[in-house]
Amino acid sequence: MSSPGSEGTKAISLDVERLDTLTEKLHALIHQDYISDLTPSERYQVIASGFTPVFAMLLALNFAENVVLAMLLFHVVCCIMIPQLLLRKFKLAHLDLTEEFFRFEKKGMVVGTVLGVGALVMALGCYALFYDYIPNLKDNASKFDLDKYHLNALFLIGAYFVLVNPVIEEYFWRTYLYKTLAYRSERYNMFISFQYALYHLVPALNLINVGASIAGFFGLIAVGRLFAYLRVKYGVICSVILHLFGDLSIGLVFYLRVVVGWP
């Protein structure tokens, strides 16, 4: 004959099991379009793929000294080919990670545009106020022969950087890496933001001084976290639009400083 205490323990155990089952079902429902069945080894491979943009930048900028090569190597190899190869290896090639890029949610588009315009105004205002503290980008740009490009060529590169780069980066950082890793825990989310900032540190060190680059590195960790938050709350279209305005700010500052020479 079982004691009341043991019956109570069994009841509690059953309740805990039911709660665990319910939690797993709820988690699966919330993250139904996320990749939740990776093994630890596969997760480590995804983490390693998050460092490939850093090596691409080092190879293209520090050795080949070619900005166009840097963008193409990063976009084609790091952001498209490697994720697809890994998903095929994990037998997940049937998953369409680009599907949500075509969900043009009105709220996300409005929030992204409002924040983007604010970021653009703030960036240009900071440039006008603190341009004395910005190193001469033209001297650094000459290392990559950017000052020798024809204006039409610079326009095409700039248009690609502003219109295409945000989409590809948000696919890599906030879709591929988010759906495989970052949604699992805050630790993963923070680590991907660290990788995002580290990737930008290489071109920053090649174009501006060390102090500004390090400050930008920590700032970009916060930016990465913001983009991840917006991606979850308002959809990836929101982070894409904000990213577009961020890249537009960089392009305008480069144009004013290197091409126009203002001030």
Side-chain angles (χ1 to χ4, degrees), residues 1 10 15 41 51 78 94 110 119 136-137 140 151 204 230 248:
M1 182 175 178
K10 288 180 181 178
D15 287 341
S41 173
F51 285 109
C78 301
H94 61 283
V110 170
N136 191 347
L137 288 176
N140 294 328
L151 189 60
L230 293 173
L248 178 60

Side-chain angles (χ1 to χ4, degrees), residues 12 14 42 58 60 67 69 79 100 114 123 148 165 171 178 193 216 227 233 241 246 253-254 262:
I12 292 173
L14 287 172
E42 290 170 341
L58 285 171
V67 172
L69 176 63
C79 294
E100 64 178 311
V114 170
K148 297 177 183 176
N165 181 66
Y171 168 78
Y178 189 87
S193 295
F227 281 170
K233 189 168 180 64
I241 292 174
V253 168
F254 178 86
W262 181 83

Side-chain angles (χ1 to χ4, degrees), residues 108-162:
M109 294 173 72
V110 170
V111 171
T113 302
V114 170
L115 291 176
V117 171
L120 177 62
V121 171
M122 185 183 300
L124 294 179
C126 288
Y127 174 71
L129 291 172
F130 304 110
Y131 63 84
D132 281 338
Y133 298 95
I134 300 174
N136 191 347
L137 288 176
K138 192 164 187 175
D139 291 342
N140 294 328
S142 64
K143 173 183 176 182
F144 305 103
D145 293 330
L146 290 175
D147 55 335
K148 297 177 183 176
Y149 277 81
H150 190 276
L151 189 60
N152 291 339
L154 283 176
F155 176 79
L156 289 175
I157 294 171
Y160 180 88
F161 177 69
V162 171

Side-chain angles (χ1 to χ4, degrees), residues 38-66:
L38 295 182
T39 66
S41 173
E42 290 170 341
R43 286 202 294 271
Y44 292 140
Q45 292 175 65
V46 173
I47 290 172
S49 72
F51 285 109
T52 58
V54 179
F55 294 108
M57 290 297 107
L58 285 171
L59 178 64
L61 296 180
N62 291 64
F63 292 96
E65 296 186 349
N66 190 307

